[in-house]
Amino acid sequence: LLFFVGGLFFAKPMRSKGYVTMLDPFQQLYGKRMGGLLFIPALMGEMFWAAAIFSALGATISVIIDINVNISVIISALIATMYTLVGGLYSVAYTDVVQLFCIFLGLWISVPFAMSHPAVTDIGLTAVHQVHQAPWLGSINSLDIYTWLDNFLLLTLGGIPWQAYFQRVLSSSSATYAQVLSFLAAFGCLVMALPAVLIGAIGASTAWNETEYGVPDPMTKKEADMILPIVLQYLCPVYISFFGLGAVSAAVMSSADSSILSASSMFARNIYQLSFRQNASDREIVWVMRITVFLFGASATAMALLASSVYGLWYLSSDLVYIIIFPQLLCVLFIKGTNTYGAIAGYLFGLVLRITGGEPYLYLQPLIYYPGCYPDENNIYIQRFPFKTLAMLTSFFTNIIVSYLAKYLFESGTLPPKLDFLDAVVARYSREHMDKATLVKSDNIVLNELAPVNPRHSLTLSSTFTNKEAFNYVDSSPELSNTEDN
């Protein structure tokens, strides 16, 4: 659903404006400082995600081939980091094709062997009847409906504002192809999820006392999250389990290289180039990216080795992407008139509401107890109320309200222009805001798909005599392009 929504509403406007990274529209409208603030949750999401999947791969390999977890994490991280370091986006694109093939083939080969094992009961029967454990189809407690809805919206909408997604969209040959790519990805995700769902169902339909795994079963041992490698190890022949291990490894490599490259490209483009070295050459930017690929890869590896709850860290950082970046992206693309003051206020309100809601994975006790909260076995209160979506909507509306309030106060003369210290309302043009020539290169977009980016005008005397038609005119002649570049 996130790819479908992304293709329907976000891919075309982002690609048609010729942006290079996801943070470009924020820096163009809100300035480089706000772009730097938004870089923090985006970087946290990418880094913790890479660390979480490195950790998962280490655990998977240790189950199947009995190798030290730390060694497997280091080796897989080195491989992913090195080919990303050498090849950049091309290496990520080409290896993704190979990795997707490996995932599809490896997992689908494993399914019939696991399903035909004598200890496995028909998964259609165990879906609705209790055989070895409760039916695997499951049900949702009526009290938890709002929690499920909250997480559903987080996964659907919060999965859009990630550089790993937009680096595919923005590198597409055209805006139309970016949309098509998103719709194909939506269908591909459904197809790729089927073997994983089937393997989970097989694990819940197995009499584990009839296998070498023995008793108690994985659910009782609290190893249910490792059911995929356990099924490959104990219900499939050895050569098939290695095929499955290759599929899991390919999945991890495919995700890790994308996250590491995403983090490094945002840093090199939006922090290093646009904030500190606007005249930096392409060669210099490439070397900055290579250095940061290595640094971010090493950092993700260290987190995977040292952090006790990497998944908990990623869980919190993914919430921040949903609560902070998604409403800002909506405002930048679809709401006219928002400015830096509203963006900062929305950022802070969303962050405060998310942190005060608590986080069980990090043993973070809530400061605000919403209706329906209850303590878990560690006496950490769990929120049933959809407070994450509440925080996201608060951030969104705060941005709009504060932006229009600031615009009214400055343009009506209630506040003097000197108090516009961010140059977000009064100044017609500011060094703090990037213009189209800075953000867009002529070889980055198809001119007939270019959506005009109009500079903001305030109701001041100087802007009254501005020829606004000249700003809306887009000329593709090389003479004008050279003049704008100069």
Side-chain angles (χ1 to χ4, degrees):
L1 281 174
L2 86 86
F3 284 121
F4 183 79
V5 173
L8 205 59
F9 297 106
F10 295 90
K12 194 165 187 176
M14 288 288 286
R15 178 63 186 86
S16 65
K17 291 181 181 178
Y19 297 126
V20 178
T21 72
M22 179 190 71
L23 295 182
D24 279 359
F26 301 111
Q27 288 194 304
Q28 184 183 58
L29 186 61
Y30 298 146
K32 60 189 179 184
R33 291 191 184 95
M34 192 63 208
L37 278 176
L38 290 169
F39 173 72
I40 296 171
L43 174 67
M44 289 174 61
E46 299 289 1
M47 294 298 297
F48 290 138
W49 171 238
I53 54 182
F54 280 146
S55 179
L57 177 64
T60 302
I61 294 177
S62 66
V63 168
I64 294 181
I65 59 177
D66 194 23
I67 189 175
N68 183 272
V69 174
N70 293 341
I71 293 175
S72 62
V73 167
I74 293 171
I75 292 174
S76 59
L78 275 175
I79 294 171
T81 302
M82 289 308 296
Y83 74 69
T84 307
L85 190 67
V86 173
L89 186 59
Y90 283 107
S91 70
V92 172
Y94 288 124
T95 53
D96 277 358
V97 174
V98 177
Q99 289 157 352
L100 282 173
F101 177 76
C102 290
I103 296 166
F104 187 78
L105 183 65
L107 288 183
W108 271 116
I109 284 178
S110 307
V111 168
F113 284 94
M115 200 173 285
S116 60
H117 193 280
V120 177
T121 308
D122 178 28
I123 63 173
L125 176 67
T126 57
V128 292
H129 295 92
Q130 180 165 344
V131 181
H132 307 294
Q133 64 178 55
W136 60 262
L137 197 56
S139 61
I140 297 176
N141 188 333
S142 59
L143 293 174
D144 295 328
I145 287 176
Y146 292 109
T147 304
W148 281 85
L149 181 62
D150 200 18
N151 289 324
F152 171 80
L153 291 172
L154 186 149
L155 291 170
T156 304
L157 303 178
I160 294 171
W162 289 72
Q163 173 63 14
Y165 166 61
F166 280 113
Q167 73 183 3
R168 267 74 169 180
V169 168
L170 299 177
S171 61
S172 301
S173 58
S174 69
T176 302
Y177 185 69
Q179 284 190 299
V180 172
L181 191 67
S182 296
F183 296 142
L184 289 175
F187 174 74
C189 280
L190 286 175
V191 174
M192 302 299 265
L194 285 176
V197 172
L198 291 173
I199 288 173
I202 290 167
S205 309
T206 302
W208 290 103
N209 58 332
E210 298 176 14
T211 68
E212 292 183 12
Y213 184 85
V215 291
D217 59 82
M219 184 72 76
T220 307
K221 279 187 178 180
K222 296 186 178 180
E223 293 182 349
D225 57 335
M226 297 298 295
I227 196 64
L228 191 147
I230 290 172
V231 166
L232 294 176
Q233 172 74 4
Y234 295 100
L235 301 183
C236 298
V238 175
Y239 61 93
I240 295 298
S241 66
F242 276 100
F243 266 106
L245 176 63
V248 175
S249 303
V252 169
M253 297 296 180
S254 179
S255 298
D257 58 14
S258 299
S259 291
I260 294 170
L261 183 65
S262 298
S264 63
S265 61
M266 283 190 294
F267 177 84
R269 164 77 173 169
N270 299 100
I271 304 300
Y272 182 80
Q273 183 183 25
L274 295 183
S275 297
F276 299 108
R277 292 270 297 169
Q278 293 188 15
N279 296 324
S281 64
D282 290 343
R283 181 181 177 85
E284 183 179 345
I285 298 302
V286 167
W287 274 105
V288 170
M289 284 188 63
R290 286 174 177 168
I291 293 169
T292 50
V293 161
F294 177 77
L295 292 177
F296 290 151
S299 300
T301 307
M303 282 185 228
L305 296 174
L306 301 175
S308 58
S309 179
V310 173
Y311 184 76
L313 294 173
W314 175 78
Y315 197 90
L316 182 58
S317 62
S318 65
D319 287 4
L320 294 180
V321 172
Y322 172 56
I323 292 165
I324 295 175
I325 302 182
F326 178 70
Q328 306 273 8
L329 186 64
L330 284 178
C331 290
V332 165
L333 294 181
F334 305 112
I335 307 295
K336 291 184 178 180
T338 58
N339 53 50
T340 313
Y341 297 106
I344 292 174
Y347 187 110
L348 294 176
F349 269 83
L351 180 64
V352 169
L353 283 178
R354 175 60 189 94
I355 293 175
T356 54
E359 181 49 61
Y361 277 108
L362 302 179
Y363 302 100
L364 186 65
Q365 199 74 267
L367 297 178
I368 299 176
Y369 295 87
Y370 294 95
C373 66
Y374 65 96
D376 62 5
E377 62 272 10
N378 297 314
N379 206 33
I380 303 294
Y381 276 82
I382 310 294
Q383 306 278 13
R384 281 198 173 104
F385 186 82
F387 74 99
K388 299 170 190 174
T389 300
L390 174 67
M392 185 274 290
L393 292 174
T394 303
S395 177
F396 176 66
F397 288 112
T398 300
N399 189 344
I400 297 172
I401 293 169
V402 173
S403 293
Y404 278 88
L405 179 62
K407 183 179 175 66
Y408 169 77
L409 291 175
F410 281 114
E411 294 185 347
S412 66
T414 306
L415 293 177
K418 64 180 181 180
L419 291 181
D420 185 14
F421 62 96
L422 293 177
D423 292 334
V425 178
V426 177
R428 181 181 63 83
Y429 176 80
S430 168
R431 290 175 300 170
E432 190 67 27
H433 295 82
M434 313 298 170
D435 62 7
K436 186 164 61 180
T438 306
L439 286 167
V440 180
K441 294 183 178 179
S442 59
D443 59 353
N444 189 42
I445 52 175
V446 179
L447 289 180
N448 61 6
E449 292 183 332
L450 176 63
V453 181
N454 300 323
R456 293 166 306 145
H457 302 280
S458 58
L459 301 177
T460 58
L461 184 63
S462 60
S463 66
T464 304
F465 297 96
T466 302
N467 182 4
K468 298 181 181 180
E469 286 76 13
F471 286 98
N472 295 328
Y473 177 71
V474 178
D475 190 349
S476 59
S477 64
E479 290 82 10
L480 180 57
S481 299
N482 292 333
T483 304
E484 288 181 348
D485 289 339
N486 291 333

